Amino acid sequence: MSTSRLSRRSLLALTGVGLTSGCIRQLESTFSRDHQQQLSFSIKTVPADADAVATKVARYLATQLQRVGISASVVPVSREELLRSVLLNHDFDVYVYRFPLPWDPDFLRPLLHSRYAPDVGWQNPFGYGDLSLDSLLERQQTERGVVRTSTLTDAQHRIAENQPFTPVAIPHTARATRPDRVDWPVDEPIHSVAAYLGARPVETRRFPSRVPPTAAVGNVTTNESTQTTPATTDTATDAPQATNRLRMTMTDARPTENLNPLSTPFRSDGTFIRLVYDSLGRVLDDEMHPWMAASWDWLDDDSSTLSVRLRDDLEWHDGNAITAADVAFTFRFLADTSLGSLDQLVPSPEYRGRASLVDSVSAASSREVHLGFGDVDEAVALRALSVPILPEHVWEPYARPTSVSWLDGGRVTEALVRNNLEPVGSGPFRVTGTSFRESLSLEPFDAHFLATQTLDESLARFEGGFAFDGLEFIVAPSGGSAIKLLSDGVVDATAGLLSSDAVKSALATPDISVRTGVSQWCYHVGYNLRKPPFTNPRFRRAVARLVARPYLTESVFDGRAYGVMSPLATTEFSPTGESWTAVLDELRFVGNHRTGSLDTSSARSLFEDAGYTYSKSGELLVQR
Amino acid sequence: MNAPPLVSMLVSVLGGGAAALFVATLGIVGPTRVRDAYGTFRERARDASKYLGLLVVVLLVNKLARDVGPEVSWLLGWNVTGLIYAVEGNFVMHVQSLATPTLTAVLSAIYLSGYVFLLTFPFVAYFVATDRRPLKLTAVAYAVNYGIGLCCYILFISYGPRNLLPGQVESLLYVTYPQTQILTRQVNVNTNVFPSLHTSLSVSAALVAVRTYGEYPVWALVAPILASAVAFSTMYLGIHWALDVVAGALLGVASVEIADSVVDARTDETSST
């Protein structure tokens, strides 16, 4: 922009030779001004089929922006396209979507640290840069207890003040089940590894015709087919077992198209990956427990080297033995999926934050791995143990530039883009087939340590393994169709989250019950700080003040969400106190936050305060 | 595995279409006409085989491209959803203000079974008709519709009103009959709405029907009414924008024009040799 202005000026100056200088000056100051135009930008989000809540929030925001004179339009794009353009290509103005909320707040570090601004994936997609936030995010890594809480409070202040993104709400999750068919573990959210492993068939399901209808044991309340289960184990041997599969619906068809753990556009909450791939540790009851690892110990007092011992006799789904070399390979591979074959590192965007905690890795023996950490607290370091462990013999050949690398300059490896529809993992489930955009079938992996080994306390509940012969995910295009499949008895539960409309129809359907759960996502408005006007924090703060959280949580989320000003608002790290209230006051919705109606003139003055002007017809103007 | 609900949906949709087809064949075509044409079936089939073959080929290509097309269109396509909304605004929302449960039931049936009937009946009727041109014309017009439609779907990415305006435009078909979505997703991709092929094929069928007024006067009346109802239902059910329908109608007309010249050219060719 500035270069064209200069050249136009010099051109004017040149052509002006011979004219009176006063005339030239007047001409110059007239023509060299860039004319002003209405500010317009697009808000990317997913279509209602994928996530009606996101679409509604985006539409609400667009309407409010239009009221303050900004020409904002909503551009619906598919889930993978949204993730591709926001996370990989940084090709957006504003987007509305959700990011996953891992159990440890260290996820804020890759999300907002300026070092990750040129990176891809959920690594600072906004392009935010703030040295004082950087140091707070680095510090919290090394701290624990109240000290860490206080640092994270400061970090949340800074984030709220600068609004690199505007958090909107953390939704409650809702899934529908058929309690007459499957007993789910009470404490686990459905569609988690722990829930699948703990699910049990309700015995009547296998023998619908054999159960005598007389045995009405009155105090069980579900429905008429409720039975106690005497002696069914004896008859189980000669009963047909072919249909003993756990069948789920999913609304998101992406797992039928791609099962590559490293593919950012195709990954959401990671459950499918965790079914198929094991990790050294797993978060159970909010704590990291050994999973593939038998145990781990810090080697010295400075907490910098963790010695991880693998369980005995671990096997990949293809029958090969798992060794410490595979684990070492995984960490090297996540840090550089080209394994040094390209002249620059090509890290896996999906696990960048966690893999970056590990400075060095070496296989000390066939069962023991040493992970070297930088200056991080033990609790934060353990986050690194949740990355999926990949078989070296499968992935090593993909550490090369993509076959279409001439298109992109060779900075993408095959490993990042392959579909991996026949994944070789070591997880409790093995993929037996996928049908494009229709279904995904898995079966329990018999050689998995949960099935073959004696387990300690933290994993004892998984002993006995998966209680079904197979696990099947059927794509149902919407919550409504999922409930229909459920009430028809074609499936046993829904894996995808239900919209509030679907929840209502589920509750109105006999035999179906709804389970609500802990939130895993933060809906937010993301800004691209790489381009104006989003480079201006005052502008972002003004936009943030157009978001009426109580109104949105009531009308859009139907009361099933927490309106939040910080992604940590529902955790123990949620800030309190006067100074936090002061921060929030300055970001208050301009208008009635319950009805969502905007005080348009006050809102417009916010943008004027941020340095923008309005045209006579009320358009917010920017220089072009 | 999701066969049972899909099959039952197919049975009811195709069943509805087939029932209408049977009644219309009896009432509009009549047993006499079928009997009269009986001896010439083989020869009629041979005569029209090239045109029907073209349609089959286009349908097969279309089926294959349905899987790959969306991916290609995300690479090359132009997302026109916002543009369409900017032009027509809340028109579909106003259409939906007419909604009643009865109307929803009727228009859902028309969108699914009525459409199947409207598209298939011409093949039965024109196969036994005195004039052999309408059969060829229909086959080519459908093929052109699909061919151009497919190109548009790759060029333009567009989500229907229900996908952009949830809460304002209701997905009436899928909310009322959720199982239908399991069927429609087998044949539709939700980014393929511009233009409306439901509209364009219906318009083509209706145009050819009007031209065969002499042979099937009842059909010449029924088809345009049914085609209008199909076009309207796509908006009423929240599936298409008004611009999709307008573009679909234009495509439907253009397809018949193109089919005309194709059939003419082929006929000239065969008569000259």
Side-chain angles (χ1 to χ4, degrees), chain A residues 227-248:
Chain A
Q227 298 295 334
T228 49
T229 56
T232 43
T233 42
D234 291 338
T235 53
T237 46
D238 54 65
Q241 289 161 0
T243 57
N244 186 26
R245 294 187 311 235
L246 178 56
R247 299 155 309 166
M248 313 288 296

Side-chain angles (χ1 to χ4, degrees), chain A residues 46-50 52-53 55-56 59 73-81 84 245 251 253 257 266 435-441 472-482 484-485 488 490 501, chain B residues 1-6 8 66-68 70-71 74-75 79 81-82 85 90 157-168 170-171 174-175 177-186 189-191:
Chain A
V46 290
D49 274 356
V53 159
T55 320
K56 284 178 181 172
R59 285 220 45 77
S73 58
V74 173
V75 177
V77 293
S78 69
R79 288 185 186 95
E80 55 268 38
E81 184 58 26
R84 208 176 281 140
R245 294 187 311 235
T251 31
E257 301 172 45
F266 284 91
S435 166
F436 187 68
R437 290 195 194 130
E438 280 178 24
S439 65
L440 170 67
S441 314
E472 213 159 286
F473 294 91
I474 296 161
V475 177
S478 65
S481 55
K484 176 71 181 154
L485 291 175
D488 287 352
V490 180
D501 286 343
Chain B
M1 59 219 74
N2 49 355
L6 181 62
S8 64
R66 280 278 154 91
D67 285 349
V68 192
E71 312 304 325
W74 280 118
L75 282 174
N79 194 331
T81 320
Y85 178 61
N90 290 330
I157 294 167
S158 175
Y159 286 99
R162 72 189 167 90
N163 258 319
L164 181 68
L165 309 171
Q168 291 164 269
E170 266 218 82
S171 176
Y174 301 140
V175 168
Y177 309 103
Q179 63 275 31
T180 55
Q181 202 171 7
I182 296 163
L183 173 71
T184 55
R185 72 165 282 129
Q186 302 288 323
V189 177
N190 62 7
T191 48

Side-chain angles (χ1 to χ4, degrees), chain B residues 6 9 41 51 72 143 195 203 257 259:
Chain B
L6 181 62
M9 268 308 302
F41 273 13
Y51 305 95
V72 178
V203 165
E257 295 287 321

Side-chain angles (χ1 to χ4, degrees), chain A residues 41 59 96 222 288 298 380 398 501 537-538 590 608:
Chain A
F41 55 78
R59 285 220 45 77
V96 172
T222 47
M288 189 66 75
W298 292 98
V380 175
Y398 296 103
D501 286 343
R538 289 175 193 280
V590 212
E608 282 171 336

Side-chain angles (χ1 to χ4, degrees), chain A residues 13-349:
Chain A
L14 281 174
T15 52
V17 175
L19 295 171
T20 66
S21 61
C23 172
I24 292 295
R25 209 159 286 138
Q26 213 177 332
L27 256 179
E28 190 205 357
S29 43
T30 309
F31 286 112
S32 66
R33 286 263 171 119
D34 283 319
H35 67 288
Q36 293 189 304
Q37 276 189 355
Q38 187 183 18
L39 175 59
S40 80
F41 55 78
S42 69
I43 305 172
K44 283 193 174 170
T45 192
V46 290
D49 274 356
D51 188 341
V53 159
T55 320
K56 284 178 181 172
V57 171
R59 285 220 45 77
Y60 169 83
L61 183 66
T63 310
Q64 305 294 40
L65 288 165
Q66 285 155 11
R67 291 212 174 108
V68 297
I70 296 169
S71 164
S73 58
V74 173
V75 177
V77 293
S78 69
R79 288 185 186 95
E80 55 268 38
E81 184 58 26
L82 182 76
L83 295 178
R84 208 176 281 140
S85 58
V86 170
L87 300 182
L88 301 184
N89 299 329
H90 300 149
D91 171 25
F92 66 102
D93 301 326
V94 175
Y95 72 89
V96 172
Y97 199 49
R98 46 195 208 177
F99 57 69
L101 294 172
W103 61 287
D104 189 279
D106 185 50
F107 75 85
L108 288 174
R109 181 179 49 87
L111 190 67
L112 291 167
H113 196 292
S114 61
R115 188 200 301 139
Y116 295 105
D119 234 315
V120 291
W122 282 113
Q123 273 69 243
N124 204 343
F126 323 107
Y128 183 60
D130 175 353
L131 292 177
S132 39
L133 181 66
D134 287 355
S135 62
L136 291 169
L137 293 173
E138 283 163 29
R139 238 169 63 203
Q140 60 79 33
Q141 273 192 291
T142 66
E143 298 169 342
R144 62 175 69 180
V146 288
V147 185
R148 188 181 189 211
T149 308
S150 142
T151 306
L152 282 168
T153 299
D154 292 347
Q156 288 174 81
H157 279 213
R158 266 210 90 73
I159 297 168
E161 278 162 3
N162 287 311
Q163 295 289 310
F165 62 90
T166 297
V168 176
I170 297 180
H172 306 171
T173 61
R175 294 185 174 93
T177 78
R178 295 273 308 234
D180 58 330
R181 290 170 168 268
V182 180
D183 276 333
W184 291 91
V186 185
D187 299 328
E188 307 292 347
I190 289 175
H191 194 55
S192 62
V193 178
Y196 289 124
L197 291 173
R200 294 285 175 267
V202 171
E203 290 297 335
T204 51
R205 181 186 146 188
R206 280 202 219 171
F207 320 105
S209 56
R210 293 194 188 185
V211 175
T214 49
V217 188
N219 54 359
V220 191
T221 51
T222 47
N223 57 42
E224 82 266 22
S225 70
T226 303
Q227 298 295 334
T228 49
T229 56
T232 43
T233 42
D234 291 338
T235 53
T237 46
D238 54 65
Q241 289 161 0
T243 57
N244 186 26
R245 294 187 311 235
L246 178 56
R247 299 155 309 166
M248 313 288 296
T249 61
M250 56 181 178
T251 31
D252 185 353
R254 287 180 300 162
T256 68
E257 301 172 45
N258 178 305
L259 285 168
N260 181 348
L262 310 183
S263 172
T264 297
F266 284 91
R267 297 286 72 83
S268 49
D269 68 345
T271 300
F272 287 101
I273 294 308
R274 281 191 290 270
L275 291 170
V276 178
Y277 289 93
D278 280 331
S279 48
L280 294 171
R282 276 276 153 92
V283 178
L284 301 163
D285 312 321
D286 283 337
E287 220 179 302
M288 189 66 75
H289 289 278
W291 183 261
M292 277 173 99
S295 63
W296 52 66
D297 298 290
W298 292 98
L299 274 192
D300 27 53
D301 300 332
D302 65 355
S303 301
S304 70
T305 305
L306 189 71
S307 163
V308 182
R309 231 180 57 81
L310 293 179
R311 291 173 188 276
D312 296 331
D313 306 320
L314 293 176
E315 240 181 62
W316 296 111
H317 293 159
D318 62 6
N320 284 307
I322 299 177
T323 68
D326 288 309
V327 179
F329 164 80
T330 300
F331 283 98
R332 278 190 286 122
F333 195 55
L334 295 181
D336 178 16
T337 57
S338 82
L339 294 174
S341 68
L342 294 174
D343 50 11
Q344 62 191 119
L345 301 181
V346 187
S348 147

Side-chain angles (χ1 to χ4, degrees), chain A residues 108 149-160 564-584:
Chain A
L108 288 174
T149 308
S150 142
T151 306
L152 282 168
T153 299
D154 292 347
Q156 288 174 81
H157 279 213
R158 266 210 90 73
I159 297 168
V564 294
M565 303 290 277
S566 162
L568 301 183
T570 57
T571 71
E572 57 183 304
F573 301 97
S574 174
T576 49
E578 272 174 42
S579 58
W580 179 242
T581 318
V583 171
L584 300 191

